[in-house]
Amino acid sequence: MNHLKRQHSFAAYILIGIGVYFLLRELKIPIITDFYSWPTLLIIIGIALLIHSYTARDYQHLLSGTIVLGLGIHFHGLNHYTFWIDHWAVYPLMVGIAFIIRGLRTKSGIFTGIIISAISIFLIFSVQLPAAFGWVYDVTSLLERFWPIILIIIGIYWLKRKK
């Protein structure tokens, strides 16, 4: 019964968030017109997952909530701010941050998150790597082309792993 209550609370957070979103659209408040876009819905879903995780003390959704929130913020930034960084390594950075946030509550994955975040930040801010790291460009070129395969492999791994 408690599991059912948790599911209902998550749905309630989603409904409240989407209701507030559409109410604000109807009110046409000038200061928030930039948020009348689909990335805002991702932000709402991410926040709902995070709130649900903390209130239900079920911290497994912190990872997905942080990633969805990060995607929403990133896509919003790309659409509205000229200074926003548009680099592929932003996506693994979001995953690294998500591991760190979940790890702060579950005590696992913090080191993985730090490593992923550090590598991502290094790749985002490195304009030209030294010649010894030329292989990084080859690897990133392959990743940029075949990243869906990585998602498929991770998905299959998650399905097959034992709990």
Side-chain angles (χ1 to χ4, degrees):
M1 193 68 170
N2 196 18
H3 179 68
L4 187 60
K5 183 179 178 183
R6 279 191 249 155
Q7 284 180 330
H8 288 299
S9 67
F10 174 66
Y13 296 134
I14 292 288
L15 288 174
I16 291 167
I18 291 174
V20 167
Y21 169 77
F22 284 110
L23 176 64
L24 291 174
R25 278 188 78 157
E26 287 299 317
L27 295 175
K28 295 180 173 76
I29 300 171
I31 197 165
I32 57 173
T33 56
D34 283 351
F35 289 96
Y36 300 159
S37 61
W38 66 269
T40 302
L41 295 175
L42 288 177
I43 292 170
I44 290 168
I45 293 168
I47 290 171
L49 280 166
L50 293 173
I51 291 171
H52 173 69
S53 293
Y54 281 109
T55 58
R57 298 189 197 295
D58 180 14
Y59 302 119
Q60 295 309 309
H61 295 294
L62 289 177
L63 186 74
S64 56
T66 304
I67 291 172
V68 172
L69 176 62
L71 287 170
I73 291 170
H74 179 63
F75 292 134
H76 177 79
L78 287 175
N79 289 335
H80 297 286
Y81 307 115
T82 57
F83 63 85
W84 202 263
I85 296 172
D86 186 13
H87 192 280
W88 67 268
V90 169
Y91 302 106
L93 177 61
M94 286 180 222
V95 173
I97 292 169
F99 269 100
I100 293 168
I101 289 174
R102 186 187 69 179
L104 292 172
R105 288 294 181 181
T106 63
K107 306 297 185 226
S108 72
I110 293 177
F111 183 71
T112 303
I114 291 170
I115 295 297
I116 293 171
S117 298
I119 291 170
S120 298
I121 291 169
F122 173 75
L123 290 171
I124 288 170
F125 292 107
S126 64
V127 177
Q128 183 67 35
L129 293 175
F133 293 103
W135 58 272
V136 171
Y137 294 117
D138 297 331
V139 171
T140 56
S141 175
L142 281 172
L143 288 175
E144 286 176 347
R145 186 164 182 203
F146 296 109
W147 65 268
I149 294 172
I150 295 169
L151 295 178
I152 293 167
I153 291 169
I154 292 170
I156 291 170
Y157 169 75
W158 282 355
L159 285 174
K160 298 291 182 185
R161 75 177 182 181
K162 297 183 180 187
K163 295 187 178 208

